[in-house]
Amino acid sequence: MVYDSKNEDQVTISPSFQLPLILIFLSFMLLFLNITIWPTIISAAFSFFLLLQSFTLRIQITKEDFIVLQLGKEIRRFPFKNWLAWRIFLPKLPGIFYFREKSSPHLLPILFDTNQLKSELLKKVASLEIKQ
């Protein structure tokens, strides 16, 4: 967890490489099945893409916004005032983060520290969590 010195309410969520590494391992396990090489190539390519994303993407959570950064540059801002609900699916595994805004739903693979993400969201928008 990284706190920005400019704004103590701004937190950058730590990356997690767990999901892409598990998928890379599973992709290469496909080689042992009696199938063509294409499923291995496709799933490994997707897994390496997720690994690259886990190095380049960061999530910042401020008092009012959920911000997605790529290489330090803001690419998307989701104001909490537009959120209707959120949930983390399969939190023990590297799962999926779901949140719904007034305009559309979003599903994101969890490339970040799940516990830290949940902790920060509970501080900001606990009332919108969908209980499991």
Side-chain angles (χ1 to χ4, degrees):
M1 179 180 332
V2 178
Y3 287 94
D4 192 326
S5 59
K6 298 176 203 165
N7 185 353
E8 292 184 14
D9 289 333
Q10 183 172 313
V11 177
T12 302
I13 306 298
S14 303
S16 172
F17 306 104
Q18 187 177 8
L19 177 63
L21 293 176
I22 288 171
L23 292 177
I24 288 169
F25 174 76
L26 292 175
S27 295
F28 287 107
M29 293 304 292
L30 291 174
L31 289 172
F32 296 108
L33 298 176
N34 193 13
I35 56 176
T36 66
I37 197 165
W38 287 108
T40 300
I41 291 171
I42 292 168
S43 62
F46 177 69
S47 302
F48 280 108
F49 170 74
L50 286 178
L51 184 61
L52 175 68
Q53 293 289 57
S54 64
F55 278 104
T56 62
L57 291 178
R58 294 292 176 264
I59 297 292
Q60 278 186 349
I61 297 179
T62 66
K63 193 181 336 181
E64 299 174 355
D65 300 312
F66 182 89
I67 305 166
V68 180
L69 305 166
Q70 186 170 39
L71 298 172
K73 181 181 176 191
E74 182 179 320
I75 59 173
R76 190 77 196 264
R77 181 177 292 257
F78 302 97
F80 289 130
K81 67 181 180 182
N82 294 337
W83 285 33
L84 299 175
W86 66 273
R87 182 174 179 188
I88 296 176
F89 292 98
L90 303 170
K92 300 291 184 216
L93 300 172
I96 294 174
F97 173 53
Y98 162 81
F99 67 99
R100 173 138 180 97
E101 289 186 294
K102 293 176 184 175
S103 59
S104 64
H106 304 278
L107 285 171
L108 304 170
I110 297 181
L111 302 175
F112 309 97
D113 182 337
T114 308
N115 295 328
Q116 184 184 9
L117 177 64
K118 184 171 184 173
S119 169
E120 290 300 320
L121 288 173
L122 286 172
K123 290 177 190 175
K124 309 293 192 241
V125 286
S127 63
L128 300 177
E129 180 184 18
I130 299 171
K131 302 293 182 193
Q132 299 178 24

